[in-house]
Structure formats: structure tokens, C-alpha cells
Amino acid sequence: MKKGSKNLSKKALFITFEGIDGCGKSTQLDLAAKYLETKGIDLIKTRDPGGTPLGCKIREILLNYDGNVASYCELFLYLADRAQHVEEKILPALKLKKLVLCDRYVDSTMAYQGYARGLGAEQILNLNNIVAKSLMPDLTFVFDVSLETSRQRVGDKKDRLESEADEFHKKVREGYLDLAEKFPERIVIIDANKDISEVEKNVIEVLNKRVL
Ligand code: TMP
């Protein structure tokens, strides 16, 4: 822990940033990290998939493979990445009482593979508990944007998932909203249609209550 860092043992330590593609979560993760660092918080930033060297290889397949990918193959690749990520990076950081800010985690798997691919969110949560040693986030931000805004922000250069039809992304978004109803203590919905600094303000309000 950095000199002067706060002891976070009773506060949210594992925080995830979620939402449909183009929702602005990665920008908000960076802004949140900067804010927390100014408050003396010792943290790491990471992402899912691709938070480890092995995970980067899995991410490359997941986002860029241009042939057919069976839904369960996709699911287990995301879970394989997560198993490595949790064991190699997230749990060791949490053990050191570092705050972990993670760009996507299990809610992405539930929203994308569970709701949008139709594999079932509950089954995915069970599988995640196996591969991720039951590690769940203490706090999750879901950045909610309209499909139109998401499509505009993603632009024309799309990866394999971004290239899915609007109907798929609509189901992902509905999945997130449903998850937020199921886990109200953990998931906070942020209206991400607003401009960056407005969204940042809303995130900081939550961080002030739940982390600092
Ligand atoms: P990113 O571009 O936000 O890093 O996310 C990579 C893509 O992978 C994004 O389209 C969401 C998707 N994804 C899933 O489908 N399932 C998952 O479990 C995760 C973590 C991401």
C-alpha cells in the first residue's frame, strides 16, 4: 500500500464498470482512477477480457476471429480469461488491500452470453463462481446509453461483438437493466447519455459514499 493510503477493508474494494459497447465506461474508469488516486487510494486498473498476458491472447480470438463461434465456445473463452485474470491479477491485488477497478466482469457475461445469446444468466453466475472462486464485485457501475448513442460512438470500425445486430445489443442493454433490478445493493445505474463531465460527477458522488 502507498504511504498515506487509506485502509479500505470495510469499503468497496472491487469495482466494475459495465455497459453496452460505446457506453463510455472505459473513459469513466480512467477518470474514477484519477480521482481516487488524488484521495490517496492505492489501486490497479484492469480489464476483462485481456487483463493478463494469456488473457490478451484469448481477447484477440474473442474480438477478432472471423469465422463462426459457437455460443458455448464464446462463453467458455470469456470464463477461461476470467479464471486466469482472477487468479493472476485480481485476487493478489485484493490481498494487498488494493482497490481494483475492472473494465467489465461477470455482468458482461450475464448480459451478453446470458441474455443476448440466450444461455441463461443464472447458469452463468454458477459457472463464474467456479472459475472466479466466487469473487463478486462490491460495487458495479452500469453506464446506460440508448442504442442510437451507442451505435454512433462505436462508429464504423467494429469488432466481432460490436458487429452483432441492433437486436443483440438491445437484449444486452435489457439484460443489464434486469441485473440492476436483481442486485440493487451492488449495481448502480448511471445515465451515460449525458456529457462526460456530468457522468463523471455522478460516478464521483457514488465513490464518495461507497469508497472514501
Ligand atoms: P471491451 O471492448 O469493452 O473491452 O469488451 C470486449 C467485448 O467483449 C465487448 O463487446 C463485450 C464482450 N464481452 C462479452 O461478450 N462477455 C464477457 O464476459 C465480457 C467480459 C465481454
Side-chain angles (χ1 to χ4, degrees):
M1 199 184 288
K2 270 187 205 159
K3 214 172 159 218
S5 293
K6 299 190 179 178
N7 183 339
L8 294 165
S9 56
K10 292 217 172 60
K11 299 275 190 172
L13 274 177
F14 180 30
I15 305 176
T16 55
F17 290 67
E18 294 277 1
I20 61 174
D21 296 281
C23 68
K25 65 185 168 41
S26 311
T27 305
Q28 292 300 329
L29 187 152
D30 284 339
L31 291 169
K34 278 196 189 123
Y35 175 72
L36 291 168
E37 277 171 341
T38 64
K39 301 287 175 192
I41 302 290
D42 193 9
L43 59 85
I44 66 159
K45 296 192 286 180
T46 189
R47 68 171 179 180
D48 199 298
T52 63
L54 175 56
C56 285
K57 292 187 188 265
I58 299 174
R59 180 184 173 91
E60 171 63 24
I61 298 171
L62 279 164
L63 299 194
N64 298 324
Y65 183 72
D66 63 3
N68 173 57
V69 181
S71 297
Y72 274 106
C73 174
E74 182 180 273
L75 169 64
F76 283 101
L77 284 172
Y78 278 112
L79 292 175
D81 164 78
R82 185 150 315 129
Q84 188 72 21
H85 192 195
V86 166
E87 184 173 303
E88 183 177 326
K89 197 162 174 187
I90 301 178
L91 284 178
L94 292 173
K95 242 187 189 164
L96 294 171
K97 292 271 183 278
K98 285 177 193 275
L99 186 106
V100 176
L101 300 181
C102 190
D103 193 331
R104 298 194 182 281
Y105 189 68
V106 66
D107 297 295
S108 283
T109 326
M110 290 196 277
Y112 282 77
Q113 281 67 49
Y115 287 83
R117 294 269 189 243
L119 303 185
E122 235 166 77
Q123 168 172 244
I124 286 173
L125 195 53
N126 291 336
L127 289 168
N128 196 73
N129 281 336
I130 297 171
V131 305
K133 305 176 185 181
S134 299
L135 177 69
M136 286 297 283
D138 302 306
L139 172 64
T140 297
F141 291 102
V142 168
F143 295 91
D144 185 48
V145 282
S146 68
L147 219 52
E148 297 71 48
T149 307
S150 146
R151 301 280 83 189
Q152 271 168 20
R153 289 186 189 166
V154 168
D156 291 334
K157 211 171 155 272
K158 296 184 180 124
D159 62 35
R160 193 176 64 84
L161 274 294
E162 288 163 349
S163 304
E164 288 287 346
D166 282 359
E167 191 52 33
F168 178 87
H169 294 284
K170 194 166 159 257
K171 285 187 194 157
V172 175
R173 181 176 178 217
E174 285 165 2
Y176 276 124
L177 298 177
D178 205 37
L179 289 169
E181 272 184 27
K182 285 200 173 115
F183 302 100
E185 290 85 26
R186 176 173 67 81
I187 299 182
V188 177
I189 299 242
I190 302 277
D191 179 356
N193 294 294
K194 300 179 190 159
D195 68 43
I196 292 178
S197 59
E198 274 296 304
V199 177
E200 182 189 11
K201 240 193 249 166
N202 293 341
V203 171
I204 286 176
E205 271 170 29
V206 178
L207 294 175
N208 285 343
K209 276 196 210 128
R210 302 280 295 267
V211 179
L212 297 171

